[in-house]
Amino acid sequence: MFRKAIRWFSASPPRTLLLGFTFIIFAGAQLLRLPISSANGETMSFVDALFTSTSATCVTGLVLFDTGTYFSTFGHWVILLLIQIGGIGFMTMATLFALILRRRISLKERLILQESLNQGSIEGLVRLVRKVIFYALALEMVGAVLYSARFALDMPLGQAIYHGIFHSISIFNNAGFDLSGDFSSFSSYSTDLFMNVVSMVLIILGGFGFIVLADLFEIRKKWQFSLHTKVVLGVSAGLIIIGAVIIFLFEFTNDRSIGNDAFGHKWLVSLFQSVTTRSGGITTVDISEFRQATQFFIIILMFIGASPGSTGGGIKTTTFAVLVGAVLAMIRGKEDVVLFRMRLSQERVYKAVTVTLFCIGIVMLGTMVLATTEDAAFLKILFEATSAFGTVGLSMGLTGNLTVAGKLTIIFLMFIGRLGPLTLTYALGPKPGRVLYRHAEGKIIIG
């Protein structure tokens, strides 16, 4: 029976990814349950440990306990390891060790890597893995140095380095875990331009995806970007700017958030909140004090999320771009969806629509379950469900008060959000057979 289950999981790359992430999450939960993982030496309940492990592995950042005070140093390093594996991808890490040991990467492993990195072919995957590891470690190292230098002004040097390393890895991987204490995130640095800029740059670069990073760092070799990179850069910049402007306008007179702040501080807070919705998970203000219109707008930004092949979740910026392109093409009476003077195949448009509808359905299902199990306002429940699915990690305060059923629902949403709804469908669904016929064409009225 066990062997049959293993063969079934290893029969396709999506199933292998499903099994791999599940194994890492449960292994992480067992480590977090150890008394050595908590600061007070107590054993965490299995559901709470599973929740924390899933949040770290799926680089979400929703927490039941304050990370800085509840967990010990050992617990912090377990969470950090889970974040690193979950952010870069366990197959990428496994390939790294294989390359270090000079072991040949098999065709099956390349296919799993292709699924993990969301690539269209297996060509150049090993080179891409080397780039992923190099860029991730290099950016995390730079971030750690910058954070450590700033933290050294507020704490002893050893503690500053420790905090710098933890926050750099967490924020670059868009995980949202922090050691600030008392669930305060980066609120004490809301007016600190240096901390805001470093954090935003790490979130943005982590959310771009490693394909885009490779294009950016190698621009001198080819002096042009791929269509994918152009779309990611364009949509990401547009969403960040539009998001900052709308948050600024909605919260300008809100005394509970930024209404009493200086004009420059209002812009800084608005820009940071817009960036962190890309899947960052850290915040410099209490989002529960925002107006409902702002909170709903943030839900939309979280649902769109980061970019393919990145450490973030959501339907992805490219999917959003294809949907907007399809709508504009229909309005203009054109058959083709064109982005940056390049025509997209119908398959890409169908996939974008499918992903979006899947994601809407999953968020709706999770929201309905949470609305049944939790005693909270609907907007707060929708916010939490979208944040979990988009692996964002922003919260309006519901996470700490979840019931057991609510925790399991959020775990489910975080897992699907990180793995991807289509990957989960391909993993659990039957193997598609060859279509031997086509049905006659029919017509229905739309709109």
Side-chain angles (χ1 to χ4, degrees), residues 425-447:
T425 303
Y426 294 152
L428 301 179
K431 185 177 180 180
R434 183 181 178 186
V435 179
L436 302 178
Y437 62 91
R438 296 181 69 186
H439 292 284
E441 182 178 345
K443 294 183 179 180
I444 59 173
I445 299 174
I446 302 295

Side-chain angles (χ1 to χ4, degrees), residues 9 40 151 223 346:
F9 273 109
N40 56 13
F151 285 135
W223 293 109
Q346 281 191 337

Side-chain angles (χ1 to χ4, degrees), residues 359-407:
C359 294
I360 291 174
I362 291 169
V363 172
M364 287 176 60
L365 177 63
T367 302
M368 286 189 292
V369 173
L370 289 174
T372 304
T373 62
E374 311 304 316
D375 182 17
F378 178 77
L379 187 62
K380 182 180 289 188
I381 291 173
L382 178 61
F383 191 100
E384 210 80 6
T386 308
S387 178
F389 175 76
T391 68
V392 179
L394 297 177
S395 176
M396 289 173 58
L398 179 61
T399 303
N401 301 315
L402 289 171
T403 62
V404 174
K407 293 174 185 176

Side-chain angles (χ1 to χ4, degrees), residues 92-105 109:
T92 305
M93 298 292 287
T95 304
L96 171 64
F97 287 114
L99 293 174
I100 293 174
L101 297 174
R102 299 183 181 276
R103 186 175 67 81
R104 181 180 175 83
I105 310 300
E109 291 169 334

Side-chain angles (χ1 to χ4, degrees), residues 153-170:
L153 301 177
D154 303 326
M155 59 188 72
L157 181 60
Q159 186 180 3
I161 294 174
Y162 178 68
H163 278 238
I165 294 173
F166 186 97
H167 288 101
S168 179
I169 294 176
S170 175

Side-chain angles (χ1 to χ4, degrees), residues 3 43 67 80 128 132 136 167 174 216 240 258 303 326 395 436:
R3 291 181 178 178
T43 301
T67 307
L80 207 58
L128 177 60
V132 167
H167 288 101
N174 284 194
L216 290 174
I240 290 172
I258 62 174
F303 184 73
S395 176
L436 302 178

Side-chain angles (χ1 to χ4, degrees), residues 33-359:
R33 289 195 71 208
L34 296 174
I36 193 177
S37 293
S38 62
N40 56 13
E42 295 181 355
T43 301
M44 181 186 287
S45 70
F46 177 74
V47 173
D48 290 347
L50 185 65
F51 187 100
T52 305
S53 180
T54 304
S55 183
T57 306
C58 298
V59 290
T60 304
L62 292 175
V63 293
L64 301 171
F65 309 99
D66 182 71
T67 307
T69 56
Y70 182 86
F71 292 99
S72 64
T73 302
F74 178 81
H76 292 160
W77 283 107
V78 170
I79 291 173
L80 207 58
L81 179 62
L82 292 174
I83 290 172
Q84 190 72 85
I85 294 175
I88 295 180
F90 76 92
M91 273 308 300
T92 305
M93 298 292 287
T95 304
L96 171 64
F97 287 114
L99 293 174
I100 293 174
L101 297 174
R102 299 183 181 276
R103 186 175 67 81
R104 181 180 175 83
I105 310 300
S106 67
L107 176 60
K108 182 179 178 180
E109 291 169 334
R110 292 172 189 264
L111 290 172
I112 299 173
L113 268 175
Q114 177 188 352
E115 183 72 27
S116 176
L117 295 172
N118 200 16
Q119 295 299 293
S121 69
I122 62 174
E123 183 181 357
L125 277 178
V126 177
R127 290 197 304 273
L128 177 60
V129 167
R130 292 194 182 100
K131 293 176 183 177
V132 167
I133 298 296
F134 174 77
Y135 294 146
L137 294 181
L139 290 171
E140 287 172 355
M141 187 179 300
V142 172
V145 171
L146 295 175
Y147 275 136
S148 299
R150 177 60 185 85
F151 285 135
L153 301 177
D154 303 326
M155 59 188 72
L157 181 60
Q159 186 180 3
I161 294 174
Y162 178 68
H163 278 238
I165 294 173
F166 186 97
H167 288 101
S168 179
I169 294 176
S170 175
I171 293 174
F172 172 74
N173 286 285
N174 284 194
F177 283 81
D178 67 88
L179 304 178
S180 302
D182 198 27
F183 298 99
S184 60
S185 193
F186 273 19
S187 58
S188 59
Y189 298 102
S190 63
T191 59
D192 192 313
L193 182 61
F194 179 83
M195 288 290 286
N196 276 261
V197 170
V198 171
S199 300
M200 286 190 288
V201 170
L202 286 176
I203 292 172
I204 291 171
L205 292 178
F208 274 165
F210 296 108
I211 308 301
V212 175
L213 290 181
D215 250 10
L216 290 174
F217 286 115
E218 296 176 6
I219 183 62
R220 291 185 178 181
K221 295 182 180 180
K222 48 191 176 183
W223 293 109
Q224 63 179 2
F225 291 137
S226 65
L227 175 62
H228 173 80
T229 299
K230 291 178 182 177
V231 172
V232 168
L233 294 178
V235 175
S236 297
L239 288 174
I240 290 172
I241 294 172
I242 293 173
V245 171
I246 291 180
I247 293 173
F248 176 82
L249 294 176
F250 283 179
E251 296 299 312
F252 188 85
T253 58
N254 185 2
D255 295 338
R256 294 179 301 173
S257 59
I258 62 174
N260 296 322
D261 296 340
F263 186 81
H265 183 213
K266 290 180 180 180
W267 271 116
L268 185 61
V269 170
S270 301
L271 180 61
F272 190 93
Q273 308 322 306
S274 179
V275 169
T276 199
T277 59
R278 303 264 57 76
S279 198
I282 57 173
T283 181
T284 56
V285 292
D286 186 359
I287 292 180
S288 64
E289 298 294 340
F290 280 177
R291 291 193 170 106
Q292 289 188 353
T294 311
Q295 293 167 348
F296 186 75
F297 178 69
I298 289 176
I299 289 174
I300 297 174
L301 293 179
M302 291 192 299
F303 184 73
I304 296 173
S307 303
S310 72
T311 57
I315 64 172
K316 304 296 190 296
T317 54
T318 50
T319 303
F320 178 70
V322 173
L323 291 177
V324 173
V327 171
L328 293 177
M330 179 64 67
I331 293 174
R332 295 170 180 172
K334 296 182 179 180
E335 294 184 2
D336 296 330
V337 177
V338 179
L339 298 176
F340 291 96
R341 299 183 180 180
M342 297 289 288
R343 176 177 58 84
L344 301 181
S345 65
Q346 281 191 337
E347 177 190 1
R348 298 291 175 181
V349 180
Y350 290 155
K351 187 173 183 180
V353 174
T354 302
V355 167
T356 304
L357 291 178
F358 260 63
C359 294

